[in-house]
Amino acid sequence: LNNPWPRSKGGSNAKLLPWLRTEGDQSLDKFYNETVAKAFLQFYEHTAQVVWNQFMDATWNYVTNITNKNREEMLHKDSERSQHILFQDPAVKRMLSKLQNIDKAALPQDELEEYNKLLAYMETTYSMAQVCLNEGPCLPMEPDLQEIMVTSRDQKELLWAWQGWRNAVGHQLRITFERYVQLSNKAAKLNGYKDMGALWRSKYEPDTLEQDLEQLFQELQPLYLKLHAYVRRLIDPREPIPAHLLGNMWAQSWVNILDLVLPFPKKPPEDITKIMKSQHWKPSKMFEEADMFFTSLGLLSTPPNFWKKSMMERPADGREVECHASAWDFYNGKDFRIKKCTEVTIEDLLSIFHRMGHIQYFLQYKNLSVIFRAGANPAFEEAVGSMITLSASSHKHLLNRGLLSHQHQDSEEEVNFLMGIALEKIAFIPFAYLMDLFRWKVFDGTIQKDVYNQEWWNLRLKYQGMCPPIPRTKDDFDPGAKFHISASVPYIRYFISLVLQFQLHEALCKALGHMGPLHRCVHSPRDILKLGSSKPWPEVLQKITGQTKVSTKALMTYFKPLLNWLVTENVQQGEILGWPDFSCTFAEKDTDKVTFMSLELGPDQTKFGQWVLLAISLVMFLVALLLARRLYSLEKRSLSQDTNAQDTGSRDSSAPETQPKAYFLGIAMETRLVAKRHWILLGLCLILTLYSISLTIRVFTQHYRKPPWMRAEWWSWD
């Protein structure tokens, strides 16, 4: 590489731009020179490919083999990458700040190193966290805890996994997150933004982004309310939906409880995962299937290196790896990879299609400048990947690939199919919105560190209508149990892409001449990928859809048959949309304390007291039975004595009267009197027995909502 710019020992770019040097307060415009600027950008282009490639290589090595050595190498290369866009001369930095956002590289060197180590610690804590059984192995998120949340219907097991994951990750990151916020905001301010939330939002260009997003959410909220009301009735109609019962660790997707909420249970969808396993699918075949799908649409095939270097399943050699699925561009125009711990399921197959959509984007814009090798905005790239899955999950495509056997869908099967998509897409709407809403409020100081967790659940209740299954405290940090928060990945892209994917899908279907419902359309997105970020995203959107703004109309059209059914169903069932009277429980310290007969006791003490009450009820019942048996004997004996007395009187009226005696509480008395007192005692016992049973049921229902003998786990031997 012929370097036209001299370098200094102090930094790779300290003397790269002599044309930018200023003296005193001279105007910056005076030193602008377009020819020199072009020469610099050309040099930057060549060096960026090298530096960014080295950083991506080091990061890949770390996340696919988590060791201290690989971590140090990644941090070193990250520092080099930051130095590549970090200029030491204050005047140069001041001018460049007008040209580009240098993100965390704006931090002083010591704080930059601290920030990088902090980010690596947060992500590593998440990736290596496990939840341990009392006597047995420790389980990681993927695949073990994820499998529990997806398949289990045992509420105790679901709660164990839900709570255990948050204890393993959230607690560890609580203090670290405070320092992360401080350094993030400092980096943002050095870039000219008021806080990190403002810097993140700047990627989308319009100043009205927050208002635009709120408008989108308000348009989408009625869809979510209809779905929420329907699902809530089938899960727990009296309360906010408990966050651990929806088939997902974060309750962002509800598709795994489709079997519980299927509109037409007599026409269940075919089990595609079961079909895949019966056909002996492997992770490699799943990737090949996705690649074949793209090439069948006239798109580019993945290069040979992709198949050699990608991590398609969890390594069998015992390495610690980060399993969160991701697509990687190594910025050399030929190295593209996916990292995923693949399981043979339909969910993972569609996830692969999504990731391969990212790879296709990389391939299409690989000849652009490094600066433009990205989506038109962060949401665009996600939208393209998700749009691909809309085509790949269509009945037509799955039928063609031998993963379905029914040739056609009737109207009821169509509603069932759309319910499955809605549990993935519509259920995601509020979660995708509130993730960054929470962090923006943290960054701007609206949410203080003492109420991180409480405000997190306030947002979850306000937007999702759900609560934690157990009381949470200020010492918990449940947001950190989500990868994108622990890894500092902005999330609003997913909310925007949720809407954008349907808008793009509809436009491409119309261009293809598709007639009929949108969920039956399969198309090719080739022409929208080549521009990368070389054009403003509204211009790219207009080129595809004829519109310059994100619109919810296509999403509404896609789900129209299902929405019509939900409206009818909710009206027939008398469902009330929303949750105005719901609230979540937050405890300050003793969250394990339970009220038992006006006493604050621990769970074990409460459980013991409940069993004592139940035992007393049983004892009283047995006493009543014994008394009844005793009364029967006394009555029989009394009748026998009367008969004998009459016989004796007729034979010898002059003989002295000697009545046999019976005993009551140790006192001898006539049998008739003993029987009378026993009747009184039996009545008291029966009253006490009924009162004791009523009290037992009341205590159990206050604590558990249902008595234990009415819950499924009561009858389980586990």
Side-chain angles (χ1 to χ4, degrees):
L1 175 65
N2 182 20
N3 183 355
W5 303 106
R7 299 192 181 200
S8 73
K9 295 180 181 179
S12 60
N13 288 317
K15 294 183 179 179
L16 273 178
L17 297 179
W19 57 282
L20 284 175
R21 294 197 171 278
T22 61
E23 295 179 6
D25 296 325
Q26 297 182 47
S27 170
L28 296 177
D29 294 337
K30 179 179 177 181
F31 295 92
Y32 178 80
N33 184 307
E34 187 172 349
T35 303
V36 179
K38 286 181 178 178
F40 163 69
L41 289 173
Q42 184 179 14
F43 170 74
Y44 176 86
E45 176 72 19
H46 290 306
T47 56
Q49 291 193 32
V50 175
V51 174
W52 289 22
N53 174 260
Q54 290 175 351
F55 169 69
M56 296 301 287
D57 245 337
T59 306
W60 175 271
N61 291 338
Y62 174 65
V63 299
T64 58
N65 186 12
I66 300 176
T67 65
N68 289 333
K69 179 182 177 182
N70 285 346
R71 177 181 175 180
E72 291 303 316
E73 180 65 14
M74 178 188 70
L75 292 174
H76 174 66
K77 292 299 181 183
D78 195 10
S79 179
E80 285 188 357
R81 182 182 67 136
S82 297
Q83 287 292 330
H84 180 254
I85 56 174
L86 180 63
F87 294 84
Q88 306 300 325
D89 190 303
V92 173
K93 291 173 68 174
R94 180 157 49 88
M95 251 196 114
L96 278 179
S97 68
K98 296 179 179 293
L99 301 177
Q100 64 178 358
N101 160 29
I102 59 175
D103 200 32
K104 63 182 179 179
L107 289 169
Q109 186 62 31
D110 58 337
E111 289 185 325
L112 176 62
E113 291 178 2
E114 179 190 0
Y115 193 50
N116 284 337
K117 289 180 180 178
L118 184 149
L119 291 172
Y121 168 77
M122 290 171 64
E123 191 168 344
T124 302
T125 299
Y126 181 95
S127 300
M128 298 185 68
Q130 295 183 331
V131 179
C132 299
L133 297 163
N134 292 332
E135 294 181 6
C138 295
L139 308 180
M141 169 57 73
E142 295 187 32
D144 300 311
L145 294 177
Q146 185 172 293
E147 181 71 12
I148 290 173
M149 299 304 295
V150 167
T151 61
S152 178
R153 296 294 182 258
D154 182 337
Q155 293 195 22
K156 286 198 301 184
E157 184 179 29
L158 290 170
L159 178 59
W160 172 83
W162 189 94
Q163 183 179 12
W165 180 249
R166 280 151 184 79
N167 290 344
V169 181
H171 281 174
Q172 307 299 319
L173 300 182
R174 176 69 178 79
I175 303 302
T176 308
F177 191 77
E178 295 175 20
R179 181 59 175 159
Y180 156 78
V181 171
Q182 294 170 0
L183 290 176
S184 295
N185 279 342
K186 183 170 183 178
K189 288 174 182 176
L190 289 172
N191 279 283
Y193 299 93
K194 65 176 184 178
D195 57 57
M196 184 56 82
L199 188 153
W200 284 359
R201 291 191 295 273
S202 70
K203 307 288 186 182
Y204 297 90
E205 300 172 39
D207 296 331
T208 59
L209 179 67
E210 289 179 273
Q211 293 82 0
D212 294 343
L213 294 176
E214 179 64 23
Q215 177 63 33
L216 286 176
F217 179 77
Q218 292 301 325
E219 292 177 15
L220 294 171
Q221 190 180 37
L223 282 70
Y224 179 77
L225 292 178
K226 292 178 179 66
L227 181 67
H228 180 280
Y230 170 71
V231 171
R232 181 182 64 201
R233 177 171 60 84
L234 299 174
I235 299 296
D236 194 337
R238 300 172 301 159
E239 303 287 348
I241 300 178
H244 67 313
L245 300 181
L246 294 164
N248 178 270
M249 183 62 81
W250 308 278
Q252 68 183 63
S253 165
W254 307 349
V255 70
N256 294 309
I257 62 163
L258 177 61
D259 59 311
L260 301 180
V261 300
L262 201 64
F264 298 99
K266 294 182 179 180
K267 295 184 177 180
E270 296 180 73
D271 188 338
I272 300 178
T273 295
K274 185 176 180 180
I275 294 172
M276 290 171 65
K277 290 180 177 179
S278 70
Q279 295 177 359
H280 308 293
W281 282 55
K282 303 293 182 186
S284 57
K285 177 176 171 57
M286 295 163 72
F287 281 87
E288 290 165 2
E289 187 71 22
D291 189 51
M292 189 186 308
F293 175 78
F294 284 101
T295 56
S296 71
L297 297 176
L299 297 170
L300 299 174
S301 179
T302 49
N305 268 349
F306 172 85
W307 303 99
K308 294 178 183 178
K309 296 184 176 181
S310 289
M311 188 188 87
M312 299 181 182
E313 49 190 314
R314 181 184 285 275
D317 56 13
R319 278 181 287 155
E320 291 289 349
V321 300
E322 180 191 287
C323 273
H324 186 83
S326 53
W328 296 58
D329 180 356
F330 285 77
Y331 296 101
N332 60 10
K334 57 185 178 182
D335 194 353
F336 311 97
R337 308 178 200 174
I338 285 178
K339 170 182 62 66
K340 182 173 175 59
C341 298
T342 308
E343 299 289 320
V344 180
T345 66
I346 180 58
E347 291 79 17
D348 271 18
L349 178 61
L350 295 178
S351 173
I352 288 170
F353 274 86
H354 178 97
R355 302 299 160 194
M356 291 290 272
H358 285 272
I359 296 296
Q360 190 62 218
Y361 218 149
F362 300 159
L363 289 168
Q364 293 286 344
Y365 62 49
K366 68 179 181 180
N367 294 322
L368 293 176
S369 164
V370 169
I371 298 171
F372 297 137
R373 291 185 200 174
N377 66 32
F380 238 91
E381 198 169 303
E382 290 299 328
V384 169
S386 298
M387 179 183 64
I388 294 297
T389 66
L390 292 178
S391 291
S393 62
S394 68
H395 183 272
K396 176 182 177 181
H397 173 71
L398 294 174
L399 182 66
N400 289 340
R401 302 312 304 157
L403 293 174
L404 291 176
S405 59
H406 299 163
Q407 294 294 319
H408 303 286
Q409 289 180 327
D410 62 26
S411 60
E412 292 182 351
E413 290 169 333
E414 185 176 58
V415 169
N416 280 348
F417 171 80
L418 288 174
M419 176 61 78
I421 305 296
L423 293 174
E424 181 75 34
K425 304 289 186 181
I426 295 179
F428 186 52
I429 290 170
F431 185 83
Y433 182 51
L434 70 85
M435 275 279 288
D436 273 357
L437 202 60
F438 169 78
R439 284 187 286 187
W440 293 347
K441 290 178 180 291
V442 168
F443 287 136
D444 70 17
T446 303
I447 296 178
Q448 296 293 316
K449 61 184 179 181
D450 292 337
V451 291
Y452 278 168
N453 213 52
Q454 182 167 341
E455 290 303 316
W456 168 256
W457 282 107
N458 285 343
L459 289 172
R460 296 289 300 271
L461 175 62
K462 177 181 178 180
Y463 290 101
Q464 281 188 287
M466 63 181 57
C467 284
I470 54 173
R472 312 303 287 154
T473 75
K474 66 180 183 181
D475 297 324
D476 295 313
F477 185 57
D478 295 337
K482 178 63 179 169
F483 172 81
H484 297 76
I485 288 182
S486 64
S488 188
V489 178
Y491 209 79
I492 204 65
R493 66 184 66 178
Y494 300 104
F495 176 70
I496 300 173
S497 72
L498 179 68
V499 182
L500 191 56
Q501 62 186 270
F502 289 96
Q503 192 173 357
L504 298 176
H505 181 72
E506 182 184 53
L508 292 174
C509 288
K510 286 181 178 178
L512 188 66
H514 172 78
M515 302 294 290
L518 285 177
H519 62 269
R520 297 178 187 170
C521 174
V522 179
H523 56 70
S524 169
R526 174 173 41 192
D527 293 336
I528 71 173
L529 305 179
K530 294 180 179 179
L531 294 173
S533 61
S534 62
K535 303 289 184 183
W537 72 265
E539 187 177 324
V540 178
L541 182 62
Q542 185 176 33
K543 184 175 181 180
I544 305 164
T545 67
Q547 302 167 305
T548 58
K549 289 189 176 182
V550 179
S551 169
T552 61
K553 290 181 180 178
L555 188 151
M556 303 281 195
T557 301
Y558 187 95
F559 287 108
K560 187 175 180 180
L562 174 66
L563 294 176
N564 290 340
W565 182 87
L566 282 172
V567 169
T568 303
E569 179 70 11
N570 287 335
V571 168
Q572 288 178 349
Q573 297 297 332
E575 290 298 327
I576 298 175
L577 303 186
W579 42 91
D581 301 325
F582 289 173
S583 63
C584 297
T585 302
F586 294 94
E588 284 301 316
K589 290 185 179 179
D590 255 337
T591 57
D592 288 340
K593 294 297 183 182
V594 178
T595 301
F596 176 75
M597 299 183 71
S598 301
L599 299 174
E600 293 290 327
L601 303 176
D604 292 338
Q605 293 172 310
T606 301
K607 192 172 184 179
F608 177 76
Q610 290 167 342
W611 284 113
V612 168
L613 268 180
L614 187 61
I616 290 173
S617 300
L618 292 173
V619 169
M620 296 295 293
F621 181 68
L622 290 174
V623 169
L625 287 177
L626 290 173
L627 280 172
R629 178 72 180 86
R630 172 71 172 159
L631 275 171
Y632 174 76
S633 175
L634 286 170
E635 290 287 353
K636 187 175 180 181
R637 182 174 163 188
S638 176
L639 181 63
S640 175
Q641 288 173 358
D642 289 343
T643 304
N644 291 336
Q646 291 175 2
D647 292 344
T648 304
S650 62
R651 292 195 304 267
D652 187 4
S653 57
S654 62
E657 185 178 349
T658 57
Q659 291 282 354
K661 300 291 185 181
Y663 292 88
F664 178 76
L665 299 177
I667 301 173
M669 59 183 68
E670 293 182 7
T671 304
R672 289 179 180 278
L673 293 175
V674 171
K676 184 177 181 180
R677 285 165 172 76
H678 270 86
W679 274 113
I680 295 173
L681 187 60
L682 178 61
L684 288 173
C685 283
L686 288 173
I687 291 171
L688 287 173
T689 299
L690 292 173
Y691 177 77
S692 182
I693 292 173
S694 300
L695 182 61
T696 302
I697 293 175
R698 183 169 181 268
V699 170
F700 272 117
T701 52
Q702 279 184 332
H703 188 195
Y704 294 111
R705 294 199 184 102
K706 289 182 180 180
W709 54 86
M710 292 176 64
R711 300 198 306 273
E713 55 264 32
W714 171 269
W715 305 103
S716 172
W717 291 98
D718 296 337

